[in-house]
Amino acid sequence: MIETHDFAQDAYLGDDGYVLGLLEGLREIELRLIPTGLHVLDQPLPSSSVEDVLALAAEHQPPPVLARLRQELASCDEGEAILRALDGRYLPPSSGGDVIRNPAAVPTGRNLHGLNPALIPTAYALRAAVRAADQLLERAQAEQGAYPRSVGLVLWGTDNLKTDGEAIGQALALIGVEPQLDDLGRVHDVRLVPLDRLGRPRVDVVITASGIFRDLFAHHLDLLDRAFRLAALADEPPERNFVRANTLAIAAELEVPLEEAALRIFSNAPGTYGTNVNFAVESSAWSAEEELARIFLSRKSFVYGRGVEGAQNGQLLERMLAGVDATFQNVDSLEFGLTDIDHYNEYLGGLTRAVEQIRGRRPAAYVGDFVMPQGKVRSVEEMVALETRTKTLNPRWYEGMLAHGYEGVREIESHVTNTFGWSATCRAVPGWVYDAIVRTYVDDEALLNRLRELNPHAARGLLARLLEASTRGYWQPSPETLAELRRRYLDLEDGLERL
Ligand code: BEZ
Ligand code: MG
């Protein structure tokens, strides 16, 4: 047991290295698919990646579909298609989305259309959404001793496009509402799931939607707004209906009509997009974390609902977030996770920091990681650790990136910055992550030299970010590590000045 414990620490697997937990952790890391390299236009997937995608698709698709998928993935006519489009000629249409769920998305190089809103959320997406919502509530209850009274949800457009509306379904599931279908099977309204069938209280939800979601899913903004109203006005005991309890309390406190206190959907001002938290983090243009919260609040304080189309109401948003016990967002692909792009951080991270600002303590932050068959609800800390191990520190991942030259180094640097973003917004990055990044990219002089030769600016940026993590108190490197980092950084600065 003691040896396992030491091994676990050496492998950054924490100090609770009991054999079974360790085995499960290692299997999870081993089985996780990782993207190796970037897509190159007009080049088909390498055959090893085709096999990986097929193995995952086999969980969802019958053999004939898999056979066609194998063929389509191995061919690629994007270049020809672009030339046709530039020529103003016809391109056949296709649906988009994640190829594992929707094999009709290949071949690529066709004219993509998004969705039929009337079919969303699909029955499949709803079943997955109910499972995810139950898991989220179970986990939050186990960790906090009670159901969260309100969950802060991030809704994205691309995410709902790829999953046929799973995140929309999760919001409905949490409040205990289900879609109503018309005779043609189209989602045309919502109704309450009776409390007895629900078997738990209705959990309140505050939605922060991206500008893209707002633009693409107008019909669903409407449905969600109706769902909140139904729950808020239901004749049910407030202790079994947190939407109603919160609405009554907020109406009394802010002296506003119930109609206004039942609004739960916030997004950007009409015509604008993004939280800008990512820009502040990337440019180091902030001094206190509070500023990140303020940036998020100012961008997302526009309310949408019946009769309100993006009216600014910061007071209402802040009052809603004051009741949020947990935050949640789905990660919908293996390609783009918490450390691959800055947008999860600007949204889920920004929301979590905003709630902390208002409540004075950090809410539990979770992600729905259901891409792999053994997917589950994870804490942000767990997800950052998993992605660090499978991507940032993984030679298969970074060698795949470095094969793309300067752009690969930029990707690596951006992973470190995005990881740092989870320190800045959620303090979700343990010291071993930064230590291990140093071990991988800095202590290995040959690797650092390769980064520097391919992209000296990004290599310098990587070192600067590690130094920033230390300066801002998110990581306490040993004095030797810090001295080494500074030396390497100055070295790179010097080299750049001489360029
Ligand atoms: C969206 O699909 O809503 C989205 C995508 C990337 C960044 C932000 C939002
Ligand atoms: Mg971007």
Side-chain angles (χ1 to χ4, degrees):
M1 196 54 75
I2 289 181
E3 280 168 20
T4 313
H5 177 94
D6 288 349
F7 167 75
Q9 283 200 329
D10 276 355
Y12 306 107
L13 282 165
D15 43 12
D16 54 348
Y18 295 104
V19 177
L20 284 180
L22 190 57
L23 198 62
E24 195 188 317
L26 289 172
R27 267 183 65 76
E28 194 165 62
I29 293 168
E30 184 185 1
L31 289 177
R32 198 168 177 88
L33 274 188
I34 53 151
T36 39
L38 303 165
H39 175 62
V40 179
L41 199 69
D42 206 33
Q43 277 184 19
L45 270 190
S47 55
S48 57
S49 302
V50 170
E51 295 310 319
D52 285 345
V53 172
L54 287 171
L56 203 51
E59 302 280 333
H60 304 269
Q61 309 294 346
V65 174
L66 293 174
R68 191 193 70 88
L69 193 54
R70 177 186 296 279
Q71 264 182 345
E72 300 293 3
L73 285 172
S75 67
C76 187
D77 244 345
E78 292 163 352
E80 173 61 25
I82 288 178
L83 292 179
R84 284 180 73 86
L86 290 174
D87 248 0
R89 288 154 68 200
Y90 174 74
L91 274 191
S94 85
S95 58
D98 178 16
V99 72
I100 289 161
R101 289 163 196 261
N102 177 25
V106 290
T108 52
R110 288 179 293 164
N111 192 358
L112 277 187
H113 56 82
L115 75 159
N116 178 351
L119 301 180
I120 281 181
T122 58
Y124 183 95
L126 270 177
R127 280 197 301 276
V130 168
R131 276 198 305 274
D134 286 347
Q135 242 197 59
L136 171 66
L137 293 179
E138 235 169 71
R139 174 151 187 185
Q141 188 190 28
E143 289 178 351
Q144 298 170 20
Y147 280 124
R149 292 183 66 84
S150 176
V151 175
L153 275 193
V154 174
L155 290 191
W156 278 5
T158 45
D159 160 7
N160 282 285
L161 277 179
K162 282 194 242 174
T163 62
D164 290 329
E166 248 173 62
I168 295 168
Q170 289 162 354
L172 296 176
L174 288 168
I175 46 186
V177 166
E178 59 193 3
Q180 249 184 308
L181 306 183
D182 66 13
D183 291 344
L184 295 173
R186 296 174 305 198
V187 178
H188 81 116
D189 206 351
V190 284
R191 66 179 162 225
L192 292 171
V193 176
L195 280 174
D196 287 346
R197 171 144 67 87
L198 191 61
R200 59 161 171 84
R202 297 188 197 286
V203 170
D204 204 355
V205 169
V206 183
I207 288 174
T208 44
S210 72
I212 298 179
F213 182 92
R214 171 205 59 205
D215 294 352
L216 282 180
F217 288 94
H219 170 61
H220 296 86
L221 284 183
D222 219 41
L223 275 181
L224 286 163
D225 183 60
R226 289 222 289 281
F228 286 120
R229 257 160 233 292
L230 269 180
L233 302 177
D235 183 13
E236 293 171 344
E239 68 278 8
R240 296 183 69 195
N241 179 339
F242 302 155
V243 185
R244 179 160 179 76
N246 288 341
T247 304
L248 293 173
I250 291 166
E253 207 178 297
L254 299 184
E255 298 178 356
V256 296
L258 280 185
E259 283 277 295
E260 185 174 332
L263 293 165
R264 293 288 186 281
I265 304 170
F266 297 85
S267 185
N268 293 74
T272 72
Y273 304 84
T275 73
N276 289 356
V277 170
N278 46 340
F279 300 134
V281 168
E282 272 152 36
S283 57
S284 307
W286 56 285
S287 43
E289 288 167 8
E290 175 177 357
E291 291 164 37
L292 302 177
R294 289 285 151 214
I295 292 170
F296 181 90
L297 290 166
S298 74
R299 294 287 291 179
K300 287 290 163 190
S301 56
F302 298 82
V303 69
Y304 291 79
R306 187 155 74 194
V308 221
E309 275 295 316
Q312 188 161 27
N313 195 337
Q315 182 193 33
L316 193 62
L317 174 61
E318 292 201 20
R319 179 55 189 82
M320 292 297 165
L321 295 184
V324 163
D325 297 314
T327 56
F328 183 78
Q329 181 172 11
N330 298 291
V331 170
D332 62 34
S333 84
L334 288 160
E335 245 179 313
F336 302 112
L338 299 195
T339 57
D340 298 287
I341 51 176
D342 55 0
H343 300 302
Y344 286 106
N345 188 249
E346 63 153 329
Y347 273 85
L348 182 62
L351 171 64
T352 305
R353 190 60 189 77
V355 172
E356 178 179 353
Q357 191 60 39
I358 294 161
R359 297 197 66 160
R361 71 183 165 80
R362 197 173 316 131
Y366 299 105
V367 291
D369 173 30
F370 293 103
V371 194
M372 300 290 291
Q374 62 274 40
K376 56 180 158 188
V377 169
R378 302 180 196 276
S379 69
V380 163
E381 287 85 346
E382 290 164 355
M383 192 69 180
V384 169
L386 182 62
E387 291 192 9
T388 299
R389 290 185 177 114
T390 53
K391 293 180 179 171
T392 318
L393 302 180
N394 182 350
R396 278 189 62 188
W397 179 83
Y398 65 68
E399 287 297 346
M401 286 300 165
L402 289 175
H404 293 282
Y406 75 92
E407 176 62 14
V409 187
R410 204 196 58 78
E411 284 283 337
I412 294 168
E413 183 278 325
S414 130
H415 266 244
V416 176
T417 293
N418 297 333
T419 303
F420 168 87
W422 293 105
S423 286
T425 53
C426 301
R427 305 252 176 169
V429 187
W432 70 256
V433 168
Y434 293 112
D435 283 327
I437 291 173
V438 171
R439 255 205 219 176
T440 305
Y441 293 102
V442 186
D443 291 350
D444 182 342
E445 202 164 343
L447 185 53
L448 186 60
N449 279 336
R450 283 170 69 200
L451 301 190
R452 180 219 288 258
E453 265 154 37
L454 290 168
N455 188 336
H457 289 277
R460 178 184 55 178
L462 189 154
L463 294 180
R465 200 63 74 188
L466 290 168
L467 287 167
E468 185 180 0
S470 152
T471 312
R472 291 198 191 260
Y474 296 138
W475 168 49
Q476 281 77 41
S478 69
E480 300 80 50
T481 301
L482 193 56
E484 178 67 5
L485 265 180
R486 290 207 176 109
R487 193 176 67 75
R488 299 269 185 204
Y489 175 81
L490 290 175
D491 231 30
L492 271 165
E493 269 289 281
D494 242 25
L496 277 169
E497 266 167 29
R498 273 188 267 109
L499 275 184

